[in-house]
Amino acid sequence: MTKTQKTTRRVLTLPKLAAEHDAPKALAAPVEPVVAPQPARVSKPGLIRARLEANGGASLAELVEATGWQPHSIRAAMTGLRKQGLTIQKTPVDGVTRFATVAHAVAG
């Protein structure tokens, strides 16, 4: 080949898919993804209250594990709940003090 001659290149193309070629335009619209609703977020004081209102209440160790807080922070949160009008009862069960709301207290 000389410099004056042009070379042609062949480009290979893939055949179009039949569904892509024959699909009506109305069906080709983008589909919105389905998003699951987010569960309601529970605050840590709300979590403490829920644990205290559960049948049998909760021990300080259980509340520390559930919230990740230090014991003195759990006690302060319970004081805040008392100031809001919640009555919290302490009951010793097998050497462990359990805290519960009055309606859900453990029978010793």
Side-chain angles (χ1 to χ4, degrees):
M1 230 190 311
T2 65
K3 288 185 178 182
T4 58
Q5 290 178 333
K6 277 190 169 178
T7 59
T8 59
R9 292 187 182 179
R10 286 191 168 171
V11 178
L12 297 176
T13 59
L14 296 175
K16 289 190 176 185
L17 296 175
E20 181 181 310
H21 187 279
D22 298 336
K25 297 296 179 187
L27 295 178
V31 178
E32 293 292 324
V34 177
V35 179
Q38 294 288 334
R41 186 171 181 207
V42 178
S43 65
K44 288 186 181 179
L47 177 64
I48 292 171
R49 183 177 185 144
R51 295 286 175 110
L52 294 176
E53 290 176 347
N55 191 17
S59 68
L60 187 61
E62 291 170 352
L63 295 172
V64 165
E65 184 179 334
T67 60
W69 285 356
Q70 296 294 319
H72 66 275
S73 298
I74 300 290
R75 290 187 199 97
M78 286 195 291
T79 299
L81 291 173
R82 284 186 187 107
K83 288 182 178 181
Q84 291 177 4
L86 189 68
T87 304
I88 299 174
Q89 181 178 4
K90 296 189 312 184
T91 308
V93 176
D94 296 329
V96 177
T97 302
R98 299 204 50 94
F99 300 92
T101 59
V102 171
H104 301 92
V106 177

